[in-house]
Amino acid sequence: MAKGHGVNQELSKILNQLWAADENRLKPGVDYRICLQGKAGYVAPGSNNAADKASSPLFTYVNEDKLKSIKTYAAFIRLLDNYEMSTGVAETVTQEELEESNSFLDALLETKIMKLTHQYLVSKNQAKPSLKDFKTQLHDIWFRLYNRDRRSGADSCGFEHVFVGETKFGKEIIGFHNWIQFYLQEKLNNVDYKGYKARDNKDTPDEDDHVLNLQFSWKGLVKPVGSSFIGVSPEFEFALFTIIFLKSQDKYTAEIVRVDEYQLEVVVYRHGRYIGTSYPKLLSSNNRHL
């Protein structure tokens, strides 16, 4: 657990309201099924050798028709296709991509979750009351390109890092915290799930858990441990990370929150005025400490 502070009750309160308002969260065992298999082992820093404790994929079934029929998911999936995997390759934003990020933000702003998020941020003086201004603010935080790798032009943005994933110098995976991208990449055989992460002698996670710590490889590179929400909507993740990002001007913010049955540490790194990276870290679930 992070030192120095316990659960942030105020943040937990708004996040539980958002969790309850997530009409587009998928139902485990109904809309999708996962198979956790074995517990992943230790991977030495910098190594891409990981013992495979899971011979089958993580996702055994996802109702793709449902994904395509929900506006935010459909718009989100269209966006995933737009990004070059390697940082250091300057991105070019085409008119089509601009329109896609635009329609994704429009779809987000129609959801109950983003309406609640907007009201909350306005009450904290962290967003302007006008929806148009709020949309611009979201666009800047998440989609404004910046230079992550000094050797090249603008090559990264918050959305790409958090939701798509990138590689650094072709040696390590950075970002890649989204379950939909994980599922789509697994289907293309780009992702190989290696097993779940949990401390020794602790309970194993459940297959209906909405937050998991995973080990996997992506195009040959290993992520020794990555935390992901599973089955939650894009709007929930967007709202959560936006709220934590706007809470502080610090380069690094970590808040412990309790959302539904999960105790999480939510981490956000700032890249100037934009999101550098953000991810959940599962601390305990249903009072089972990991």
Side-chain angles (χ1 to χ4, degrees), residues 168-210:
K168 190 177 180 185
F169 308 129
K171 286 190 174 65
E172 61 173 317
I173 300 170
I174 50 178
F176 204 112
H177 298 285
N178 178 262
W179 73 270
I180 301 168
Q181 170 71 339
F182 190 101
Y183 163 68
L184 294 171
Q185 290 291 312
E186 192 173 59
K187 221 173 73 165
L188 292 169
N189 291 325
N190 290 333
V191 157
D192 182 9
Y193 169 60
K194 304 289 188 188
Y196 64 86
K197 289 295 284 184
R199 288 193 203 145
D200 293 338
N201 72 28
K202 299 296 177 192
D203 288 352
T204 55
D206 294 323
E207 303 199 329
D208 60 357
D209 281 356
H210 279 294

Side-chain angles (χ1 to χ4, degrees), residues 11-266:
L11 270 179
S12 298
K13 187 180 166 198
I14 177 67
L15 295 177
N16 278 298
Q17 287 170 2
L18 299 182
W19 186 264
D22 193 1
E23 299 161 322
N24 293 330
R25 184 167 59 248
L26 300 190
K27 288 185 180 61
V30 179
D31 300 320
Y32 69 92
R33 280 191 293 278
I34 61 172
C35 183
L36 287 165
Q37 301 161 80
K39 189 165 95 169
Y42 171 74
V43 174
S47 162
N48 280 307
N49 291 331
D52 199 342
K53 303 290 187 179
S55 56
S56 303
L58 174 63
F59 286 93
T60 53
Y61 165 75
V62 174
N63 182 341
E64 290 199 26
D65 290 338
K66 186 152 189 172
L67 293 189
K68 289 176 190 137
S69 69
I70 301 171
K71 254 181 163 173
T72 50
Y73 284 87
F76 179 76
I77 290 165
R78 280 196 299 275
L79 273 173
L80 292 176
D81 300 339
N82 285 340
Y83 294 94
E84 277 284 343
M85 180 168 134
S86 174
T87 52
V89 177
E91 294 279 353
T92 51
V93 180
T94 64
Q95 189 54 39
E96 188 187 7
E97 286 172 10
L98 249 161
E99 281 162 18
E100 282 172 0
S101 56
N102 221 357
S103 60
F104 175 61
L105 289 173
D106 284 340
L108 282 187
L109 291 169
E110 282 171 21
T111 63
K112 207 187 268 186
I113 281 187
M114 281 321 263
K115 287 177 177 151
L116 283 169
T117 300
H118 186 214
Q119 285 165 11
Y120 172 78
L121 292 170
V122 169
S123 78
K124 305 293 269 174
N125 288 325
Q126 287 161 354
K128 292 181 176 154
S130 131
L131 260 186
K132 191 168 172 286
D133 289 337
F134 185 47
K135 183 180 168 184
T136 303
Q137 183 182 20
L138 289 174
H139 184 274
D140 286 350
I141 292 171
W142 285 100
F143 291 103
R144 184 64 68 90
L145 287 174
Y146 56 75
N147 183 330
R148 189 185 286 277
D149 173 357
R150 283 192 210 99
R151 299 175 305 176
S152 64
D155 65 358
S156 190
C157 68
F159 177 86
E160 176 180 14
H161 180 80
V162 174
F163 292 108
V164 185
E166 301 166 300
T167 58
K168 190 177 180 185
F169 308 129
K171 286 190 174 65
E172 61 173 317
I173 300 170
I174 50 178
F176 204 112
H177 298 285
N178 178 262
W179 73 270
I180 301 168
Q181 170 71 339
F182 190 101
Y183 163 68
L184 294 171
Q185 290 291 312
E186 192 173 59
K187 221 173 73 165
L188 292 169
N189 291 325
N190 290 333
V191 157
D192 182 9
Y193 169 60
K194 304 289 188 188
Y196 64 86
K197 289 295 284 184
R199 288 193 203 145
D200 293 338
N201 72 28
K202 299 296 177 192
D203 288 352
T204 55
D206 294 323
E207 303 199 329
D208 60 357
D209 281 356
H210 279 294
V211 195
L212 292 174
N213 295 328
L214 309 170
Q215 186 179 99
F216 61 93
S217 67
W218 184 32
K219 300 190 178 179
L221 299 176
V222 167
K223 182 103 178 174
V225 56
S227 296
S228 281
F229 287 104
I230 306 284
V232 307
S233 69
E235 55 267 32
F236 178 81
E237 291 195 56
F238 237 74
L240 165 76
F241 297 137
T242 301
I243 285 171
I244 307 247
F245 173 81
L246 289 171
K247 195 180 168 295
S248 155
Q249 293 296 312
D250 296 343
K251 193 166 171 52
Y252 168 83
T253 305
E255 291 289 352
I256 294 173
V257 292
R258 189 164 175 85
V259 181
D260 191 51
E261 64 177 70
Y262 309 102
Q263 191 148 314
L264 309 169
E265 184 177 19
V266 184

